[in-house]
Every structure is written in structure tokens, then in C-alpha cells.
Amino acid sequence: MGFTIKNINTINDVATSHGAGIKKVLCSNDEASSNITQIAVSLLTAGEAVEVHIHETMEEHFIIEDGSLEFMIDDKVMTVNSSTYVMVPAGTKHGIKAVTNCKMITIGCAV
């Protein structure tokens, strides 16, 4: 597999699989030879929420670039702001609610 270069501004916005927000998929699992399931730039509008869910076979990484998010991870609720990194292990119950308009990089990795 060769290298990839993409202009983020030319990638179309798509709905997230959780029905909250939009994303630009930078890399999907069929474009990578690693365990990456997806790398995306995601946008949530204040008040949008990703319902509590579990990924049994995927860990998720979140890099918050702008805004504030409320994360619920294993029944613990915490607010995180820009310049924060969050990792949710596979099999962990989690949900997200945008406190303000937010921009984050999301990375899924199969385990």
C-alpha cells in the first residue's frame, strides 16, 4: 500500500454513524494496512449528543481541537476542553455531549 495525501477541505462531510454531528473521513479501514478503523475530523453542534454505547472490538481516541465536550465513561461524567486527548478502551460504555460547538479528531482502532 502506498502513501496518501488528501486536502481536508475537499473531503465531503458525512453524517456520523451515531446520528450526531458530521465528519470528514480522512482514512477508512480499507485505505490502511493497520488496525485503524477510521480517522476523521468530527464536528458537533452545542447540545448534540452521541448516545451511550459500547464498541466491543474497537478502542476510540479523541483529540479535542475546539470547544467543550461532556464525556460519560463507565458512569463517570467529565467535561473536557480543547487541547485534550481522551482514549476509550474497547468494551467501555461511553457517550458524548457537546457543551459548545466542537471540533475533534476521532480515531478508531480494532483490537
Side-chain angles (χ1 to χ4, degrees):
M1 190 172 286
F3 66 88
T4 301
I5 298 175
K6 295 181 182 180
N7 180 330
I8 295 171
N9 296 321
T10 64
I11 299 172
N12 292 330
D13 292 336
V14 296
T16 67
S17 60
H18 296 292
I22 57 172
K23 64 184 176 182
K24 291 179 182 286
V25 178
L26 307 179
C27 180
S28 60
N29 63 336
D30 60 341
E31 298 174 288
S33 57
S34 66
N35 289 341
I36 293 293
T37 57
Q38 188 175 93
I39 301 173
V41 176
S42 302
L43 303 172
L44 289 174
T45 302
E48 282 189 297
V50 174
E51 296 298 321
V52 174
H53 61 284
I54 296 173
H55 301 289
E56 292 294 343
T57 60
M58 182 181 74
E59 65 185 21
E60 285 188 289
H61 303 260
F62 302 88
I63 303 164
I64 295 50
E65 291 190 324
D66 291 310
S68 295
L69 294 162
E70 187 176 86
F71 270 81
M72 192 286 289
I73 302 173
D74 275 342
D75 299 321
K76 181 179 179 184
V77 178
M78 64 206 82
T79 301
V80 299
N81 300 302
S82 60
S83 301
T84 302
Y85 164 75
V86 177
M87 193 276 287
V88 179
T92 303
K93 181 172 63 170
H94 62 287
I96 304 168
K97 181 177 179 182
V99 176
T100 65
N101 291 346
C102 296
K103 179 180 179 183
M104 62 186 154
I105 297 171
T106 57
I107 302 166
C109 187
V111 295

